[in-house]
Amino acid sequence: MADVTIAADFGASLGRAIYSTGSGYCKPELMLLDPQVVLVPAKSISNYEKYKIGQANPEDSAWVKSGEAHFAVGFLAKKNFHAVHCLESLKVDSAIPQALSIIGSVAQKKGLPSQFSLSLGILLPWNEFRDREKFASQISTALSDYTFRGQQFSVQLESLTALPEGGGIFARGRMPQQPTLKLLSPKELTIAVIMLGYRNSSILVIEKGELTRGSTGDFGFARMVQKIQTFTSGQKADILVPVICSARAKLGKRVLETLARSGRTELRNQEVEEIAEAIADARAEYVALLENWLIQHLPSQTKIDEFIISGGTARYLKKELSDLLKGFGGSLNWCTGLEERIKKTFGDIVSNNSLESRLADVYGLFYKLHNRPLPRIRETTGESSDVNVRAI
């Protein structure tokens, strides 16, 4: 067993990692990382270290030296170097500095030595999944000798597990809706996994236990946000997203006033109306485009027995997706059991920020890396249940 086990999802809106240290009981711990990565001069890092005041968490002051290149990562890249996350770039392009930062942060938070062994799991979009071997080679080389926040590390990559996005919820997201029901084996079914995130949307189709097709499209929540920005003036994505998601489809005037930028009352009222109309129009267009993409990429001549649906965008559009997918006749699994375990495992940091649907994929991957079932939870009936399903 490796000294450290990390499951990582390099999301476009938020990097997520679930990790454990030691070879005994696998206690999962959570790390969140802003997605920005920027290449900076060595002198910029030297000046940052020289003039900084205070001491932030490692993941919030992350910088990496790999070879001769210096990267600022996460909150440091966003705040100190004004980096903007590029949604058009490949996820694997920024994954190496992010992975090195997550691993270094875990090591420093846990007081690990400069040399240790690692079991790493990552999630990649289907259209980048073929790059997994290239990623494995690059991360193994980078881990052998790199510097994180001034500390040199030499990490042995004991194993790397790469799954397409949705693989984590397929591996551990299937469970009976009621404890008394029997769960059919995936070898007896055709299952479609739908993951909807901020950057893109993904579909995996598993027939008789084997992955037979996959698709990735640029139909993440960012498409809706970008459309709102074209309809309004000066709205920033990092401000828009939490406001829109906090109220979902019911955006009242009081909520929208937090987005208004004008200081004059009459102009402010007009701006609120324009923002409300922009959000409504962008949402309607986005739903139409997403539904069309799903219809085009779901198998048309194969009966789907079960849909597994997750991701922050999927939760935001649950009603529209439910109405659409019910037409295919298969059962809908919204990973509620998986998400309930996530909330119980990590508590307020997840519940207060509604992160459970955004963590489902990487949480499932973490338990797959440990080759263990999900933890037991106390059911509302007072009975406890365990999940022993290992789909992949």
Side-chain angles (χ1 to χ4, degrees):
M1 189 74 179
D3 298 318
V4 179
T5 300
I6 299 176
D9 184 355
F10 308 111
S13 62
L14 185 68
R16 284 99 59 186
I18 298 176
Y19 65 94
S20 63
T21 56
S23 57
Y25 172 69
C26 66
K27 178 186 177 183
E29 298 187 64
L30 177 63
M31 181 174 292
L32 304 175
L33 189 75
D34 285 297
Q36 287 82 1
V37 174
V38 62
L39 180 67
V40 296
K43 184 63 175 178
S44 296
I45 295 296
S46 176
N47 286 336
Y48 163 72
E49 288 291 344
K50 181 178 180 180
Y51 296 109
K52 71 178 181 181
I53 300 174
Q55 190 66 42
N57 289 324
E59 65 269 29
D60 293 326
S61 56
W63 61 267
V64 170
K65 178 179 181 292
S66 181
E68 296 304 314
H70 290 74
F71 297 91
V73 182
F75 183 80
L76 176 64
K78 180 173 69 173
K79 287 296 183 181
N80 283 62
F81 299 104
H82 310 288
V84 177
H85 189 62
C86 182
L87 295 173
E88 302 301 324
S89 64
L90 294 175
K91 182 173 284 193
V92 294
D93 288 345
S94 59
I96 298 295
Q98 284 182 298
L100 295 177
S101 295
I102 289 169
I103 295 160
S105 295
V106 170
Q108 292 190 348
K109 288 169 84 77
K110 294 298 181 181
L112 299 180
S114 296
Q115 297 183 349
F116 56 89
S117 60
L118 171 69
S119 174
L120 178 64
I122 62 168
L123 295 160
L124 294 173
W126 175 256
N127 62 348
E128 297 183 40
F129 189 56
R130 63 174 62 92
D131 293 332
R132 61 191 182 278
E133 292 183 359
K134 180 175 70 174
F135 176 86
S137 174
Q138 291 178 348
I139 191 65
S140 180
T141 300
L143 282 169
S144 65
D145 182 15
Y146 81 101
T147 300
F148 176 72
R149 298 173 75 241
Q151 181 178 358
Q152 189 171 11
F153 286 97
S154 179
V155 180
Q156 178 189 350
L157 184 61
E158 192 169 287
S159 66
L160 174 69
T161 300
L163 294 182
E165 291 178 349
I169 61 169
F170 178 61
R172 292 295 183 272
R174 298 188 68 240
M175 61 190 69
Q177 299 302 307
Q178 299 178 15
T180 56
L181 296 179
K182 180 182 178 181
L183 190 68
L184 293 176
S185 167
K187 295 181 180 180
E188 303 174 31
L189 305 170
T190 296
I191 300 171
V193 179
I194 298 176
M195 280 292 299
L196 302 180
Y198 186 77
R199 182 205 303 249
N200 51 37
S201 52
S202 295
I203 297 173
L204 304 178
V205 178
I206 299 95
E207 299 181 65
K208 307 297 184 183
E210 182 177 329
L211 179 62
T212 58
R213 70 173 77 182
S215 301
T216 297
D218 297 325
F219 291 94
F221 192 73
R223 181 175 284 254
M224 174 177 159
V225 173
Q226 289 166 349
K227 182 63 69 171
I228 295 171
Q229 290 176 305
T230 65
F231 292 157
T232 57
S233 299
Q235 293 295 326
K236 296 182 179 179
D238 58 347
I239 304 297
L240 273 172
V241 172
V243 171
I244 296 171
C245 293
S246 65
R248 301 190 185 275
K250 299 178 181 179
L251 289 169
K253 182 178 179 180
R254 181 175 298 179
V255 174
L256 293 176
E257 281 180 342
T258 63
L259 296 173
R261 303 174 70 246
S262 176
R264 294 173 57 184
T265 302
E266 64 275 15
L267 294 179
R268 191 175 185 85
N269 291 335
Q270 181 181 350
E271 186 179 3
V272 167
E273 292 177 2
E274 291 174 350
I275 293 171
E277 183 178 358
I279 292 173
D281 291 347
R283 179 187 173 106
E285 180 179 315
Y286 173 56
V287 169
L289 293 173
L290 178 60
E291 288 183 346
N292 182 65
W293 183 83
L294 289 169
I295 291 170
Q296 293 297 320
H297 288 84
L298 287 168
S300 58
Q301 298 181 350
T302 302
K303 181 182 181 298
I304 299 174
D305 301 297
E306 179 183 340
F307 288 94
I308 307 176
I309 313 130
S310 191
T313 304
R315 184 65 61 186
Y316 176 72
L317 298 175
K318 184 173 182 179
K319 182 183 183 303
E320 291 88 344
L321 289 170
S322 295
D323 292 343
L324 172 68
L325 297 176
K326 284 177 182 176
F328 286 84
S331 63
L332 305 185
N333 175 358
W334 287 91
C335 301
T336 53
L338 186 61
E339 292 182 6
E340 181 66 20
R341 285 164 170 79
I342 292 170
K343 288 190 287 187
K344 288 184 177 293
T345 299
F346 300 118
D348 290 345
I349 189 173
V350 168
S351 299
N352 294 343
N353 296 283
S354 300
L355 292 175
E356 57 272 18
S357 57
R358 300 168 70 185
L359 292 171
D361 210 15
V362 72
Y363 189 79
L365 174 59
F366 174 81
Y367 278 95
K368 177 175 170 56
L369 293 179
H370 279 284
N371 195 29
R372 296 189 183 189
L374 294 177
R376 298 165 68 92
I377 62 171
R378 183 66 57 181
E379 303 292 342
T380 56
T381 60
E383 299 176 355
S384 61
S385 67
D386 206 350
V387 177
N388 257 319
V389 179
R390 292 186 172 90
I392 54 177

